[in-house]
Each structure stands twice: as structure tokens, then as C-alpha cells.
Amino acid sequence: MTVLITESLKKQGINDHIEAFKQAMINAGMPSVPDYIEITGAKIPRWKDPQGESGNKDCWYRFGINPDGSGFGKFSNHKGIKDKWHSSYEKGLSKIQFSQKEKEQLAVLNTEAEKAESALKKGKRKKACTLFEKGQLVTALKKLHWYIKEKQISTFEDLRQERSILLIPCYSGNNELLAVQRIYKDHTGKTQKRFLGSYSGGFFTIGQIKPDGLCYLTEGYATGATVHEATGAPVIVAFSCGNLIFVAEIIRKQYPNIKIINVADNDLEKAK
């Protein structure tokens, strides 16, 4: 059985820990043991249970090394096999003590992952702000952007352009710039829509929202511009189908009495 380990980890005695962990799985009655055991983080390794249904991934494990060099892990499958392991069990460490130690270890891993993700989002958001600030207002340019021409739609306040790239801002409910959608043609001439920053929960508004009025909710800018031109009503662009529900909740919270109509692609669906 091959085990994925590095030279530095070998020096820490991880080899013995891995073999002991695999043996613990076998002793507990796990129907199979993975060929590769590696230190896990937020992602939990899963593999097929030969006794389960076709295509299943019912077996899983967690495995790690503590700062003091001790190893810990736990594993389970769909048939109720569930156990924990620690390299110090032979020294009298109880499962309650192990559980506490594991929680502390996982808390450290989760905190580090959250910090890394937060730093990444902040970095992308900063780049988005810089790019948007560099862009020129589309309404101030003499030449109409190719995307606006192609879709036969109007331009509205706050759209910007950097070279041939159309920039559509994505704001939070507090009017903070979260991300920028970039619309451009790639080297093959295909239209690309890419985000710089995270647009989750963010949106772009066309027109003026009235607290007791009506507004439309759309996925894309082109659809939103078309709906606004046809109805004269304010439109909120959510940028994706998956973001519609989050944006609707934000708008509903800000304007409890507003009437929202969700405009899906090629479909009108009345919401609440």
C-alpha cells in the first residue's frame, strides 16, 4: 500500500502514525482503506465503500499532526462504523481528551483557512476598485462600446470602460464596491464575462428605487437594460441565477414594502 508522504514528514515520524491510523481503520471494521493517506484541511477525503451502492463515496477520514508531533484522526462510513484514533491513546489519552484536542486543531485549521480566504477577497476587491477608478464613464465617450451596440441597449450611469473592456460595478447593500464585471472579447472573438472580486450578495441598480414601488430583478445587465427601457421601472442586476435569491433578500430587508418581479432569462416570474 503506497502512502503519500514527504521527506520532511518522514523525519517527524509520520510514517508510523499513518500505519497506525490505517490499522485502526482495519480494526474498526472499515470495508476498505485508501491507498493514500494525507494530512487533511477543510476538505475531507472520501472514497468508495465496496459494500455500498454503485458510485458511492461513503467512506471518509480526517488525519493530522499536532504541533507536538502526535497524530490524530477519525473515520466513518455509511454503515455506522465510526471511530477516532490518536497516537497517544496507548499512553492513556481518553476519547474525551482526544475530542478536545481535535477541536482545537480543527479550529486552528479553520481559522487559518478563513484568514487566507479573507485576505484573497480583500486583494481582489482592491484590484477591482483600482480598475474601476481607471475606467472612463461610458456616457462620456463618443464611440459606443461594441457590447452595447451588439445588444442594442442603452448605457446608464456608472458604467465604465477601460480600453475595449466594459466595466459593470457590483455594489453591496451599503453601496460599497465589491467587484467589477469585465465584458470583453478574447483572442478567438468570443464574448467573455469575468469578475474581479466576489459578487455574491452584490448587485447593480438601473434607475431609482422607490420604497413602496415596483422593481425588476434580472441576472444580466443586457436583460436589465432592456427591461428598464421597456417599463421605465428600476431594475436590479444580480449578475447570476444563483445570486438572485441573496439580492432579493437584501432588497426586501431594505425596502419591506417594495414589489419585486424576478425576470429570469426568457421568462417572467412574479415573486412575492
Side-chain angles (χ1 to χ4, degrees), residues 4-18 39 65-70:
L4 185 65
I5 51 177
T6 64
E7 290 302 318
S8 60
L9 289 176
K10 281 181 181 179
K11 293 177 182 178
Q12 298 175 28
I14 191 174
N15 221 355
D16 292 338
H17 289 334
I18 287 175
I39 293 175
I65 301 296
N66 286 310
D68 62 3
S70 61

Short mmCIF file of all heavy atoms in Angstrom, two decimals, residues 4-18 39 65-70:
data_model
loop_
_atom_site.label_atom_id
_atom_site.label_comp_id
_atom_site.label_asym_id
_atom_site.label_seq_id
_atom_site.Cartn_x
_atom_site.Cartn_y
_atom_site.Cartn_z
N LEU A 4 1.27 8.65 0.60
CA LEU A 4 1.79 9.92 0.11
C LEU A 4 2.40 10.72 1.26
O LEU A 4 1.71 11.27 2.09
CB LEU A 4 0.65 10.74 -0.52
CG LEU A 4 1.05 12.05 -1.19
CD1 LEU A 4 1.93 11.79 -2.39
CD2 LEU A 4 -0.20 12.81 -1.63
N ILE A 5 3.72 10.76 1.33
CA ILE A 5 4.42 11.49 2.38
C ILE A 5 5.65 12.16 1.79
O ILE A 5 6.17 11.77 0.76
CB ILE A 5 4.86 10.57 3.54
CG1 ILE A 5 5.62 9.36 3.01
CG2 ILE A 5 3.68 10.11 4.34
CD1 ILE A 5 6.15 8.44 4.08
N THR A 6 6.13 13.20 2.45
CA THR A 6 7.32 13.90 2.02
C THR A 6 8.48 13.55 2.93
O THR A 6 8.29 12.98 4.01
CB THR A 6 7.09 15.43 2.08
OG1 THR A 6 6.86 15.80 3.44
CG2 THR A 6 5.87 15.82 1.24
N GLU A 7 9.69 13.89 2.50
CA GLU A 7 10.88 13.57 3.30
C GLU A 7 10.84 14.26 4.66
O GLU A 7 11.20 13.69 5.67
CB GLU A 7 12.15 14.00 2.53
CG GLU A 7 12.43 13.13 1.30
CD GLU A 7 12.60 11.67 1.67
OE1 GLU A 7 13.25 11.36 2.70
OE2 GLU A 7 12.07 10.81 0.95
N SER A 8 10.35 15.53 4.65
CA SER A 8 10.32 16.27 5.91
C SER A 8 9.33 15.63 6.89
O SER A 8 9.56 15.60 8.10
CB SER A 8 9.92 17.73 5.66
OG SER A 8 8.65 17.80 5.07
N LEU A 9 8.23 15.11 6.35
CA LEU A 9 7.24 14.48 7.22
C LEU A 9 7.74 13.13 7.74
O LEU A 9 7.40 12.72 8.83
CB LEU A 9 5.92 14.29 6.47
CG LEU A 9 5.14 15.58 6.17
CD1 LEU A 9 3.90 15.27 5.35
CD2 LEU A 9 4.75 16.28 7.46
N LYS A 10 8.58 12.45 6.93
CA LYS A 10 9.14 11.18 7.38
C LYS A 10 9.97 11.39 8.65
O LYS A 10 9.94 10.59 9.58
CB LYS A 10 10.04 10.59 6.29
CG LYS A 10 9.27 9.89 5.18
CD LYS A 10 10.26 9.31 4.17
CE LYS A 10 9.53 8.61 3.03
NZ LYS A 10 10.48 8.08 2.03
N LYS A 11 10.70 12.51 8.66
CA LYS A 11 11.55 12.80 9.80
C LYS A 11 10.73 13.03 11.07
O LYS A 11 11.21 12.88 12.18
CB LYS A 11 12.40 14.05 9.50
CG LYS A 11 13.42 13.83 8.39
CD LYS A 11 14.18 15.11 8.08
CE LYS A 11 15.15 14.91 6.94
NZ LYS A 11 15.87 16.16 6.60
N GLN A 12 9.47 13.42 10.91
CA GLN A 12 8.63 13.68 12.06
C GLN A 12 7.96 12.40 12.57
O GLN A 12 7.16 12.41 13.49
CB GLN A 12 7.53 14.69 11.70
CG GLN A 12 8.06 16.04 11.29
CD GLN A 12 6.96 16.98 10.83
OE1 GLN A 12 5.82 16.86 11.25
NE2 GLN A 12 7.29 17.90 9.94
N GLY A 13 8.27 11.28 11.92
CA GLY A 13 7.66 10.03 12.34
C GLY A 13 6.25 9.84 11.84
O GLY A 13 5.49 9.04 12.38
N ILE A 14 5.88 10.56 10.78
CA ILE A 14 4.51 10.47 10.28
C ILE A 14 4.22 9.09 9.70
O ILE A 14 3.08 8.62 9.69
CB ILE A 14 4.23 11.57 9.22
CG1 ILE A 14 2.73 11.62 8.93
CG2 ILE A 14 5.02 11.35 7.96
CD1 ILE A 14 2.33 12.75 8.03
N ASN A 15 5.26 8.43 9.21
CA ASN A 15 5.09 7.08 8.64
C ASN A 15 4.43 6.15 9.65
O ASN A 15 3.48 5.43 9.33
CB ASN A 15 6.43 6.53 8.21
CG ASN A 15 6.34 5.82 6.87
OD1 ASN A 15 5.26 5.67 6.33
ND2 ASN A 15 7.47 5.37 6.37
N ASP A 16 4.93 6.16 10.87
CA ASP A 16 4.38 5.30 11.92
C ASP A 16 2.94 5.69 12.25
O ASP A 16 2.09 4.84 12.48
CB ASP A 16 5.24 5.39 13.19
CG ASP A 16 6.61 4.78 13.00
OD1 ASP A 16 6.76 3.94 12.08
OD2 ASP A 16 7.53 5.14 13.76
N HIS A 17 2.68 6.99 12.27
CA HIS A 17 1.34 7.47 12.55
C HIS A 17 0.35 7.00 11.48
O HIS A 17 -0.77 6.59 11.79
CB HIS A 17 1.32 9.00 12.63
CG HIS A 17 2.00 9.55 13.84
ND1 HIS A 17 2.15 8.85 15.01
CD2 HIS A 17 2.59 10.78 14.05
CE1 HIS A 17 2.78 9.59 15.89
NE2 HIS A 17 3.06 10.77 15.33
N ILE A 18 0.78 7.08 10.23
CA ILE A 18 -0.10 6.69 9.12
C ILE A 18 -0.42 5.20 9.19
O ILE A 18 -1.58 4.79 9.05
CB ILE A 18 0.54 7.04 7.76
CG1 ILE A 18 0.49 8.55 7.55
CG2 ILE A 18 -0.17 6.32 6.62
CD1 ILE A 18 1.19 9.04 6.31
N ILE A 39 -2.40 14.52 5.18
CA ILE A 39 -2.91 15.46 6.19
C ILE A 39 -4.05 16.25 5.58
O ILE A 39 -3.94 16.80 4.49
CB ILE A 39 -1.78 16.40 6.67
CG1 ILE A 39 -0.73 15.60 7.44
CG2 ILE A 39 -2.35 17.51 7.54
CD1 ILE A 39 0.47 16.39 7.86
N ILE A 65 -1.42 16.09 12.07
CA ILE A 65 -0.29 16.03 13.01
C ILE A 65 -0.32 17.28 13.87
O ILE A 65 -0.39 18.40 13.37
CB ILE A 65 1.07 15.97 12.26
CG1 ILE A 65 1.12 14.74 11.34
CG2 ILE A 65 2.23 15.94 13.25
CD1 ILE A 65 1.07 13.42 12.08
N ASN A 66 -0.30 17.09 15.19
CA ASN A 66 -0.29 18.21 16.11
C ASN A 66 1.10 18.83 16.21
O ASN A 66 2.10 18.19 15.84
CB ASN A 66 -0.74 17.75 17.50
CG ASN A 66 -2.23 17.48 17.56
OD1 ASN A 66 -3.03 18.31 17.15
ND2 ASN A 66 -2.60 16.30 18.05
N PRO A 67 1.19 20.06 16.72
CA PRO A 67 2.49 20.72 16.87
C PRO A 67 3.48 19.91 17.72
O PRO A 67 4.69 20.02 17.53
CB PRO A 67 2.13 22.04 17.56
CG PRO A 67 0.73 22.31 17.12
CD PRO A 67 0.07 20.97 17.06
N ASP A 68 2.96 19.11 18.64
CA ASP A 68 3.86 18.31 19.49
C ASP A 68 4.31 17.02 18.82
O ASP A 68 5.02 16.21 19.42
CB ASP A 68 3.17 18.00 20.83
CG ASP A 68 1.91 17.16 20.66
OD1 ASP A 68 1.58 16.78 19.51
OD2 ASP A 68 1.23 16.92 21.67
N GLY A 69 3.89 16.82 17.55
CA GLY A 69 4.32 15.64 16.81
C GLY A 69 3.38 14.46 16.91
O GLY A 69 3.56 13.45 16.22
N SER A 70 2.36 14.54 17.76
CA SER A 70 1.40 13.44 17.88
C SER A 70 0.45 13.45 16.69
O SER A 70 0.20 14.49 16.08
CB SER A 70 0.62 13.57 19.18
OG SER A 70 -0.12 14.78 19.21
#
